Amino acid sequence: MTILNVYNNNPLIDGRQSDRAMLVRRGTQILLHEMRHAVLPELSLASGRRADLITISEKGEIWIIEIKTSIEDFRVDRKWPEYRLHCDRLFFATHKDVPLEIFPEDCGLFLSDGYGAHMIREAPEHRLAPATRKSVTLNFSRAAAQRLLMAEWANGKPFDVDDI
């Protein structure tokens, strides 16, 4: 029996994120799941940018969470303001070794340890136009369905709806 598989056949992992970013993502996803949000990582937006995490709440509110793992990571990234065009609320997520004061006050903030997260600051709301909301929601649902299909094929057996 093989103990180690050098081939990653999981279609839900693309390998572009650092281990630290994956820990921040995991903890944030756990909290968002507890908040009853549908969460999708690494979604390409109409602008060509890719959101680290995008969620849809029970009420249909769309959030984007940008993950930052260092001061330098935050300083070199100037694309994040564009995410406001695709969400009702914009957040950052980070870990304990990044000073929280570097993040702008007009964005929400999560602090994650990989096992969970805390919302440090709520994000102000800026409601999407109805046409943009429809476009983002369709993009979200189509990507989620495709990923579920790819995961099912990689697993070799169909998912039971009750397991999801």
Side-chain angles (χ1 to χ4, degrees):
M1 174 157 123
T2 305
I3 298 174
L4 175 66
N5 181 358
V6 295
Y7 301 103
N8 178 13
N9 67 345
N10 185 337
L12 304 179
I13 298 175
D14 66 12
R16 289 181 272 204
Q17 298 78 24
S18 69
D19 289 342
R20 179 67 59 108
M22 292 302 289
L23 281 175
V24 171
R25 181 171 113 177
R26 180 173 172 249
T28 305
Q29 286 175 304
I30 290 168
L31 175 64
L32 291 164
H33 176 74
E34 290 169 355
M35 295 171 70
R36 302 183 57 80
H37 281 243
V39 183
L40 199 57
E42 302 297 332
L43 182 68
S44 294
L45 304 169
S47 64
R49 301 290 186 196
R50 192 176 62 245
D52 291 336
L53 288 173
I54 187 166
T55 79
I56 299 179
S57 73
E58 286 185 304
K59 296 179 181 178
E61 194 173 70
I62 297 170
W63 293 5
I64 290 181
I65 298 93
E66 177 70 0
I67 295 170
K68 294 295 165 208
T69 58
S70 68
I71 296 171
E72 188 64 21
D73 184 17
F74 177 74
R75 285 190 180 145
V76 300
D77 178 9
R78 292 292 147 217
K79 69 184 182 307
W80 64 264
E82 297 175 32
Y83 293 145
R84 288 188 199 277
L85 302 173
H86 307 279
C87 64
D88 296 307
R89 297 181 191 267
L90 178 61
F91 292 83
F92 284 96
T94 193
H95 58 89
K96 67 177 179 61
D97 296 330
V98 178
L100 302 181
E101 56 273 3
I102 69 170
F103 298 103
E105 291 286 326
D106 63 343
C107 294
L109 184 60
F110 291 103
L111 185 62
S112 172
D113 66 3
Y115 298 99
H118 295 285
M119 184 186 293
I120 302 298
R121 182 172 57 237
E122 181 75 50
E125 182 182 53
H126 44 273
R127 300 286 297 167
L128 287 173
T132 304
R133 178 175 310 287
K134 179 179 179 181
S135 174
V136 172
T137 302
L138 283 172
N139 184 27
F140 183 101
S141 60
R142 290 180 54 78
Q146 264 317 107
R147 291 180 191 182
L148 183 59
L149 179 65
M150 293 296 107
E152 183 176 301
W153 285 352
N155 187 33
K157 58 184 178 182
F159 287 115
D160 184 347
V161 175
D162 295 330
D163 293 339
I164 297 176

